[in-house]
Amino acid sequence: MSTAERSRSIWRAALALAATAAVYEAVARSGVFPPALLPTLPAVARALVSTIADGTMLAHAFHTLARVLLGFAMAIVVALPLGIMMARFRPVENFVLPLASALMPIPSLAWVPMFILWFGLGDITSILVVFYAATFPLLLNTWSGVRAVNPLWLRAAGAMGADEQALFWKVIIPGASPFIITGLRQAFLRSWIAVVGAEMLAASNWGLGWVIFDAKEFLNADVMLASLVVIGAIGFVFERLVFGSLEQVTVLRWGMVRAAKG
Amino acid sequence: MHDAITAPAQAVDFPTVAREPAWRVVARTAFPFLVVGALWELVAHLGIFPPRLFPSLEQIASAFVRLTAEGILPHHALDTVIRLLTGFALAAVAGVAIGIAMGRSRLAEDVLVPLVSIGAPIPGIAYAPLFLLWFGLGNLSAVLLVAFVSAFPIIFNTWTGVKAVKEIWVRSAQAMGADDRRLFRRVILPGALPYILTGLRLGLAQAWRILVGVEMLAAVPWGLGWLIFGAREFLNTDVILAGVAVIGIIGLALEKLVFQRIEEFTVVRWGMMT
């Protein structure tokens, strides 16, 4: 793409965004819809700034992040070793795989009513829903990643005198890492959906999902849109910065990119 | 070796593993379920948890049979599936059209990519309260939200697919005198199809994951999500678990019956994928 074409693309993109914002603003100001339902953009910006300034938005974001990271960490602790064991030991695979295939098609949010009854409203329910959502993509990707390690590498390392431990840390883990990182990414995307849904259903006073749902009761559409912005921003940061840089320091550095694409 | 001789066809598929008789495969698959089921029964009958909260498998099965016989469970399931398919059909039509426009026209691409990229990273369920506020409780909100959420993967994959059609195919079709319509129907659409199907598959999976949650929030009159959420109020855990089982069965059926079939019929047949 030439420079002229690229700058034309950027101009068009900026124009498209500006035009969309202008149309939205015009509709919001025209009074066709009540302002409580369709707040103007300055109102949304004000709600965003004021909730950030008084710390409430940060506290909500902190609660949501804490839940998602706890559930995610639990999923890593369970699913990574289990996935590796499934790939290395056939009895484990025979036992876990049918169960995982039966549980996987059940959306994590379907467990919310049951978890509410078992664990009450609040943190534990949301964390467990996140755990459920994150476990399966991680488990299956780890499993296929370890299975996909080139047997030639294993034999070569063995021939060069690598013991079991070295084989595991130096060959299997780096070899499976493109799949594992894909699994982590998918798992995080699903956890992020799950935590917002779980917070709406299992309300507990704190959390971004809860804010949105609570704002609906009071017709605070500006607060809802402001929280949507925050939710989108955090999701974007995790996807691009956290997993992007994780990929940089592992897969790209080990020269595994081609495997990651294949 | 004996096994390999009795079933040579299968031995080709699994060269490293000795061929197992069918009953062993069934037994091996059933074994983990038997273990988990037995543990569940043990816990339920020992009375560690109150029986209302931890029903035995017989209770869940009898709730399932009772609700199915009364027609309640099929009605809920049918409404959920109709909602899913309506929303998904909207998303498929709109998503493929937008994706193709983005892939074929530079202008559409420049205008739409920033808009779509802003909407995509926000998890779909987060829009739910906003949709409820705008379109009211009930069916309309649920269907529109499902359509909105599943449109994103469809748009992105269709766009990628159209852009991935080999330039040389397009040029040779043009050189052989294909007009725009034939170019589109005979070259671009089949060429982009593997991507479009991947997008549809991801979109449907996304729609399915969201729909159950949306049904709980939107207070629709019938629907599996509403069934299990409503049953919670009356501590009907047997109904909840029967509902969750049906949700799992539908999810599995969607994956195995719908998409694997479509893929076999089109992509594999046209030789786009093996």
Side-chain angles (χ1 to χ4, degrees):
Chain A
M1 200 192 300
S2 72
T3 351
E5 261 180 62
R6 177 161 301 169
S7 75
R8 199 184 61 181
S9 294
I10 293 171
W11 269 109
R12 277 177 172 172
L15 267 178
L17 287 178
T20 313
V23 168
Y24 177 89
E25 192 68 13
V27 173
R29 282 187 193 275
S30 69
V32 179
F33 302 102
L37 295 187
L38 203 67
T40 59
L41 291 176
V44 176
R46 258 200 309 280
L48 184 60
V49 170
S50 73
T51 47
I52 289 177
D54 68 10
T56 49
M57 189 61 88
L58 297 180
H60 288 305
F62 174 77
H63 274 83
T64 302
L65 272 177
R67 286 184 190 125
V68 101
L69 291 180
L70 265 173
F72 194 59
M74 278 166 61
I76 292 178
V77 168
V78 172
L80 270 187
L82 197 59
I84 294 171
M85 283 188 1
M86 275 167 73
R88 303 285 289 164
F89 306 108
R90 191 155 274 278
V92 180
E93 182 181 303
N94 285 345
F95 191 85
V96 177
L97 197 60
L99 291 176
S101 336
L103 288 176
M104 205 172 30
I106 303 175
S108 51
L109 290 177
W111 290 103
V112 172
M114 199 66 248
F115 285 2
I116 291 177
L117 285 181
W118 282 346
F119 308 106
L121 293 171
D123 288 340
I124 299 182
T125 297
S126 331
I127 292 170
L128 285 177
V129 171
V130 170
F131 168 68
Y132 187 90
T135 297
F136 294 107
L138 203 49
L139 184 71
L140 293 181
N141 276 292
T142 309
W143 172 61
S144 32
V146 174
R147 277 165 54 113
V149 171
N150 193 336
L152 210 62
W153 299 348
L154 293 179
R155 266 190 265 157
M160 288 186 267
D163 55 8
E164 275 292 316
Q165 220 186 347
L167 199 68
F168 181 79
W169 289 110
K170 301 270 164 101
V171 183
I172 294 176
I173 291 290
S177 61
F179 286 83
I180 294 177
I181 288 177
T182 308
L184 286 172
R185 266 200 163 140
Q186 278 178 13
F188 187 81
L189 273 177
R190 293 216 192 153
S191 326
W192 197 231
I193 296 171
V195 78
V196 173
E199 282 179 349
M200 288 180 184
L201 293 162
S204 55
N205 288 330
W206 291 102
L208 294 168
W210 182 82
V211 178
I212 298 188
F213 201 65
D214 186 59
K216 187 182 76 104
E217 313 271 299
F218 302 103
L219 290 181
N220 287 333
D222 49 350
V223 176
M224 285 166 78
L225 287 169
S227 332
L228 271 180
V229 172
V230 176
I231 290 175
I234 296 178
F236 185 79
V237 165
F238 264 91
E239 168 61 27
R240 286 294 155 89
L241 298 185
V242 177
F243 292 112
S245 49
L246 189 66
E247 218 163 48
Q248 288 277 329
V249 297
T250 55
V251 187
L252 292 180
R253 211 164 142 197
W254 295 334
M256 300 283 310
V257 232
R258 216 163 283 166
K261 280 183 180 152
Chain B
M1 267 299 103
H2 175 73
D3 286 339
I5 292 162
T6 50
Q10 261 75 14
V12 176
D13 291 339
F14 304 101
T16 52
V17 185
R19 162 100 175 116
E20 282 181 297
W23 67 269
R24 278 202 57 175
V25 177
V26 172
R28 199 186 56 200
T29 315
F31 175 68
F33 293 102
L34 290 177
V35 172
V36 172
L39 280 176
W40 181 284
E41 281 294 84
L42 200 66
V43 173
H45 283 288
L46 280 177
I48 300 170
F49 303 109
R52 291 244 57 148
L53 289 184
F54 205 92
S56 64
L57 292 177
E58 307 95 83
Q59 281 170 304
I60 299 172
S62 80
F64 181 82
V65 170
R66 179 166 48 85
L67 291 174
T68 310
E70 288 170 0
I72 296 175
L73 205 51
H75 190 170
H76 282 295
L78 189 68
D79 271 37
T80 297
V81 171
I82 289 176
R83 215 167 272 135
L84 179 76
L85 293 183
T86 318
F88 177 66
L90 282 175
V93 172
V96 171
I98 294 175
I100 287 177
M102 279 163 66
R104 295 294 295 162
S105 144
R106 186 85 220 184
L107 178 68
E109 187 175 14
D110 287 343
V111 168
L112 289 171
V113 168
L115 295 179
V116 175
S117 329
I118 286 180
I122 301 176
I125 191 108
Y127 291 106
L130 204 64
F131 274 61
L132 293 179
L133 207 57
W134 285 345
F135 306 108
L137 290 173
N139 249 326
L140 182 65
S141 293
V143 169
L144 284 179
L145 192 65
V146 166
F148 184 76
V149 167
S150 52
F152 284 108
I154 300 176
I155 293 176
F156 273 119
N157 280 285
T158 307
W159 174 45
T160 317
V162 173
K163 299 215 90 167
V165 171
K166 285 200 182 100
E167 195 56 41
I168 194 142
W169 294 351
V170 176
R171 269 194 250 151
S172 38
Q174 275 168 338
M176 287 186 266
D179 53 13
D180 270 354
R181 262 188 57 179
R182 293 188 58 171
L183 184 71
F184 182 75
R185 290 209 23 208
R186 296 292 167 108
V187 181
I188 291 172
L189 211 51
L193 202 72
Y195 289 85
I196 297 178
L197 284 179
T198 307
L200 291 175
R201 190 181 191 146
L202 289 175
L204 187 64
Q206 195 114 305
W208 178 239
R209 275 201 294 275
I210 293 287
L211 177 61
V212 175
V214 173
E215 284 184 341
M216 295 181 197
L217 293 165
V220 289
W222 290 91
L224 290 168
W226 182 242
L227 169 76
I228 60 177
F229 204 60
R232 184 188 61 106
E233 314 251 306
F234 307 103
L235 286 183
N236 286 334
T237 41
D238 46 353
V239 176
I240 296 183
L241 289 171
V244 169
V246 175
I247 290 173
I249 292 168
I250 296 179
L252 201 62
L254 285 175
E255 179 63 21
K256 296 277 169 204
L257 299 180
V258 183
F259 274 108
Q260 286 185 1
R261 287 287 158 80
I262 293 179
E263 226 163 56
E264 277 166 30
F265 258 117
T266 54
V267 186
V268 177
R269 217 164 158 190
W270 292 339
M272 302 292 309
M273 274 182 338
T274 45

